[in-house]
């Protein structure tokens, strides 16, 4: 492809592809062996190529589905309950209700084999879009699938103020390394820290945004619009983030 790119670094990764209806792991390749083409519409075409070994897999396309079918919703619900801590979960029935009302959006990601690869659930208020939940199916967490789907989300909500919450990396926690990896993923994909943390329903969270401004009061108003005054009182400003000393 004339618009193919090649990764400069040689960090190893495991390439996963779909073969005969099951997930199969190829031998480790270097990222320098991975070529991919630019986005085509809402599909991402990825070509895996090794100069010494030749083509390793056929094209893999990714897309977002706005109105998942019943079977896909069942997969979304299953991944939702598996991927997120109990203290961060809402009853899935509430998410479905808010989706019907139009204040939340449920999206599924699938590849060109129509395999379910991940979920995204967003909450909307005025020009604000909060990525409430984002998860990739365990079978598809290699080869940059998460970054491709996340990029599609950012493009879907271009022109709106897109942001998300993550469990705080500033406090001690049993899953501290997982929290750091999660934050590193979002920073790598263009999100930036907001200058405050929050206590959202008893969980300390950091806020990352896609290069837009966001005030704490606006963030709290989004929850108020979704769940009323009872939610308003459970969203608290925790602390402004420490500022770097001026030179």
């Amino acid at each position: 492809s004339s618009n193919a790119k090649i990764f400069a670094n040689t960090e190893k990764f495991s390439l996963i592809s779909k073969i005969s209806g099951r997930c199969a792991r190829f031998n480790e390749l270097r990222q320098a062996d991975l070529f991919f083409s630019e986005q085509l519409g809402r599909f991402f075409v990825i070509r895996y190529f090794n100069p010494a070994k030749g083509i390793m897999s056929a094209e893999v396309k990714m897309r977002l589905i706005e109105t998942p079918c019943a079977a896909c919703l069942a997969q979304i619900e299953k991944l939702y309950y598996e991927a997120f801590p109990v203290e961060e979960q809402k009853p899935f029935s509430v998410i479905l209700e808010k989706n019907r009302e139009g204040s939340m959006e449920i999206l599924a990601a699938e590849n060109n084999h129509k395999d379910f690869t991940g979920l995204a659930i967003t909450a909307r208020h005025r020009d604000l879009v909060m990525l409430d939940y984002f998860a990739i199916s365990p079978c598809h967490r290699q080869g940059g699938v998460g970054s491709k789907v996340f990029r599609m989300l950012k493009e879907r909500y271009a022109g709106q103020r897109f942001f998300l919450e993550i469990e705080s990396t500033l406090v001690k926690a049993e899953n501290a390394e997982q929290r750091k990896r999660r934050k590193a993923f979002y920073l790598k994909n263009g999100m930036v820290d907001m200058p405050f943390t929050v206590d959202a329903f008893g969980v300390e969270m950091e806020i990352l945004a896609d290069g837009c401004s966001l005030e704490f009061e606006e963030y709290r108003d989004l929850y108020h619009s979704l769940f009323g005054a009872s939610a308003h009182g459970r969203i608290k400003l925790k602390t402004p983030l420490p500022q770097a000393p001026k030179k």
Side-chain angles (χ1 to χ4, degrees), residues 26-44:
F26 284 105
N27 292 331
E28 282 193 337
L29 303 175
R30 296 177 305 159
Q31 282 193 357
D33 298 329
L34 174 60
F35 286 79
F36 69 96
S37 70
E38 299 290 348
Q39 181 189 357
L40 302 176
R42 287 207 172 179
F43 286 79
F44 283 81

Side-chain angles (χ1 to χ4, degrees), residues 61-119:
K61 299 179 182 179
M62 301 295 303
R63 70 168 180 169
L64 292 175
I65 303 173
E66 300 176 19
T67 53
C69 64
C72 192
L73 275 175
Q75 291 176 301
I76 290 173
E77 182 176 6
K78 181 175 183 294
L79 179 59
Y80 169 77
Y81 283 118
E82 291 174 349
F84 300 102
V86 172
E87 61 270 20
E88 294 180 24
Q89 294 173 4
K90 304 174 183 67
F92 198 71
S93 59
V94 171
I95 294 174
L96 291 173
E97 177 185 351
K98 297 299 177 183
N99 177 246
R100 288 190 292 269
E101 293 174 358
S103 56
M104 298 189 80
E105 191 167 36
I106 302 172
L107 300 168
E110 71 170 24
N111 61 22
N112 56 321
H113 300 285
K114 298 189 181 299
D115 301 315
F116 171 71
T117 58
L119 68 84

Side-chain angles (χ1 to χ4, degrees), residues 166-177:
I166 57 170
E167 291 176 299
S168 177
T169 61
L170 307 174
V171 298
K172 292 183 179 180
E174 291 183 2
N175 66 335
E177 290 304 314

Side-chain angles (χ1 to χ4, degrees), residues 18-242:
K18 194 75 179 177
I19 296 181
S20 302
R22 64 183 179 84
C23 285
R25 189 179 297 274
F26 284 105
N27 292 331
E28 282 193 337
L29 303 175
R30 296 177 305 159
Q31 282 193 357
D33 298 329
L34 174 60
F35 286 79
F36 69 96
S37 70
E38 299 290 348
Q39 181 189 357
L40 302 176
R42 287 207 172 179
F43 286 79
F44 283 81
V45 181
I46 310 167
R47 293 181 183 275
Y48 299 95
F49 180 75
N50 182 305
K53 303 174 185 177
I55 297 291
M56 298 300 293
S57 79
E59 293 181 350
V60 179
K61 299 179 182 179
M62 301 295 303
R63 70 168 180 169
L64 292 175
I65 303 173
E66 300 176 19
T67 53
C69 64
C72 192
L73 275 175
Q75 291 176 301
I76 290 173
E77 182 176 6
K78 181 175 183 294
L79 179 59
Y80 169 77
Y81 283 118
E82 291 174 349
F84 300 102
V86 172
E87 61 270 20
E88 294 180 24
Q89 294 173 4
K90 304 174 183 67
F92 198 71
S93 59
V94 171
I95 294 174
L96 291 173
E97 177 185 351
K98 297 299 177 183
N99 177 246
R100 288 190 292 269
E101 293 174 358
S103 56
M104 298 189 80
E105 191 167 36
I106 302 172
L107 300 168
E110 71 170 24
N111 61 22
N112 56 321
H113 300 285
K114 298 189 181 299
D115 301 315
F116 171 71
T117 58
L119 68 84
I121 299 172
T122 60
R124 308 182 68 172
H125 175 59
R126 296 177 180 169
D127 68 331
L128 295 176
V129 178
M130 180 176 72
L131 181 58
D132 206 3
Y133 301 99
F134 176 61
I136 300 298
S137 175
C139 191
H140 298 278
R141 288 178 186 169
Q142 301 289 334
V145 170
S147 291
K148 303 299 183 297
V149 177
F150 189 71
R151 189 188 306 169
M152 286 191 287
L153 287 168
K154 290 174 64 175
E155 292 181 352
R156 177 180 181 82
Y157 298 113
Q160 300 173 75
R161 289 188 288 166
F162 180 70
F163 71 97
L164 55 88
E165 310 159 315
I166 57 170
E167 291 176 299
S168 177
T169 61
L170 307 174
V171 298
K172 292 183 179 180
E174 291 183 2
N175 66 335
E177 290 304 314
Q178 181 189 54
R179 294 183 182 199
K180 291 176 183 177
R181 288 195 301 271
R182 184 179 299 127
K183 183 172 183 177
F185 168 83
Y186 288 122
L187 294 178
K188 179 187 71 174
N189 283 284
M191 304 299 280
V192 297
D193 276 305
M194 290 291 96
F196 59 88
T197 62
V198 301
D199 181 327
F201 301 94
V203 181
E204 186 167 345
M205 310 289 275
E206 296 177 49
I207 309 299
L208 306 180
D210 186 23
C212 61
S213 62
L214 179 69
E215 300 294 332
F216 168 72
E217 291 75 14
E218 295 176 306
Y219 165 78
R220 185 170 57 185
D221 285 347
L222 181 144
Y223 272 103
H224 189 201
S225 73
L226 285 172
F227 304 113
S230 60
H232 190 94
R234 299 184 66 186
I235 305 295
K236 303 172 185 176
L237 179 64
K238 185 69 177 177
T239 179
L241 292 177

